[in-house]
Amino acid sequence: MTARVDSIPPEARAFQGRRAGLVTRVAAACIDIGVVVLALIVAYLGFVVVVFVVPPGGFEMPVPPLWLDLVAGTVVMTLYPAVWWHRGGRTYGCHVMGLRVVDRRGHDPNLVTALLRAALNLVFPLGLAWVVVSRQNRSVQDIVLRTSVIYDWDVRPRVRAPYPAATDGTIRPADAARATGQVPDQHE
C-alpha cells in the first residue's frame, strides 16, 4: 500500500491557485532584490580578485563608475526574473513565498512577456500597488501583459502543461498534469 504525501501544507491548500496579494508579492520582490544585490557583490569581488592576482605591480581597489553600477544593476534586475519566470514561472523569491507567474492560459510566460514584465516592474514598481484596489489581485503589469501571480506551493517537478481553470476563477497547478486542450482566458 502506498500513500501519497501532499507537499502543500494543509493551511495553504485553500489558497492554492488563487491570485497573490500585495504583501506576499512585496516579500518575494524583496527576496529577489537581495538575490540580485548578492550576485552583484559576488561578481564585484570576483573582479577584485582578478585585478589583485593578474597585474604584477601594486594593488589598488578598483572603483567602478556609477554608470556601470546602474547599467549592471538594471540588466541583472531585468534578466534574473525574466529568465526564471520563463523557465519555471518563479524566481527564488517566488519559490520561497509560494508564488508562480503564469500567462493568461496558465502557462509559464514566454520570454518576451517575461522580459517585458521584468522591465515594467523595474521602471514602474508602483504598478504593483494596483493589487490593493483590483478585485482580481492584478497589478498594472499583470493587466498590461495579461499575466497573473498565483499561489503555488507545489514543489514537485512540473510537467509543461497548462494550469486548468477552475469554476471559481482560481488556477489549480496540482491539476496541470491532467490538463488537456486549451484553457479559457482567465481575465475577463
Side-chain angles (χ1 to χ4, degrees):
M1 179 175 174
T2 60
R4 182 178 178 270
V5 177
D6 198 346
S7 63
I8 303 167
E11 301 82 14
R13 290 184 191 139
F15 298 100
Q16 184 75 358
R18 294 191 184 275
R19 291 192 182 101
L22 180 67
V23 174
T24 313
R25 289 178 180 215
V26 168
C30 289
I31 292 169
D32 288 334
I33 289 169
V35 167
V36 168
V37 168
L38 188 64
L40 290 171
I41 289 171
V42 167
Y44 174 71
L45 291 176
F47 176 71
V48 168
V49 167
V50 169
V51 168
F52 178 73
V53 172
V54 172
F59 174 72
E60 187 174 319
M61 190 72 151
V63 178
L66 179 62
W67 68 266
L68 182 60
D69 291 341
L70 294 174
V71 168
T74 301
V75 167
V76 174
M77 198 63 212
T78 302
L79 289 180
Y80 161 69
V83 168
W84 288 107
W85 287 336
H86 171 66
R87 292 196 36 90
R90 59 175 66 186
T91 59
Y92 181 69
C94 288
H95 176 75
V96 169
M97 298 308 297
L99 302 177
R100 183 177 303 278
V101 176
V102 294
D103 66 9
R104 64 186 173 89
R105 292 181 312 266
H107 296 263
D108 295 336
N110 64 46
L111 187 57
V112 172
T113 301
L115 280 167
L116 288 172
R117 182 181 170 78
L120 277 173
N121 282 342
L122 192 64
V123 172
F124 187 57
L126 287 177
L128 181 58
W130 190 254
V131 170
V132 175
V133 296
S134 170
R135 289 184 183 158
Q136 297 178 336
N137 279 3
R138 298 181 72 211
S139 67
V140 171
Q141 293 85 342
D142 288 331
I143 294 167
V144 169
L145 296 171
R146 300 175 76 182
T147 59
S148 291
V149 179
I150 62 168
Y151 290 109
D152 180 8
W153 287 275
D154 200 357
V155 294
R156 291 172 287 184
R158 286 189 39 237
V159 176
R160 283 279 220 210
Y163 293 113
T167 56
D168 60 357
T170 62
I171 301 171
R172 296 221 170 97
D175 298 334
R178 293 190 300 264
T180 57
Q182 194 71 350
V183 177
D185 192 341
Q186 295 293 314
H187 315 297
E188 282 96 37

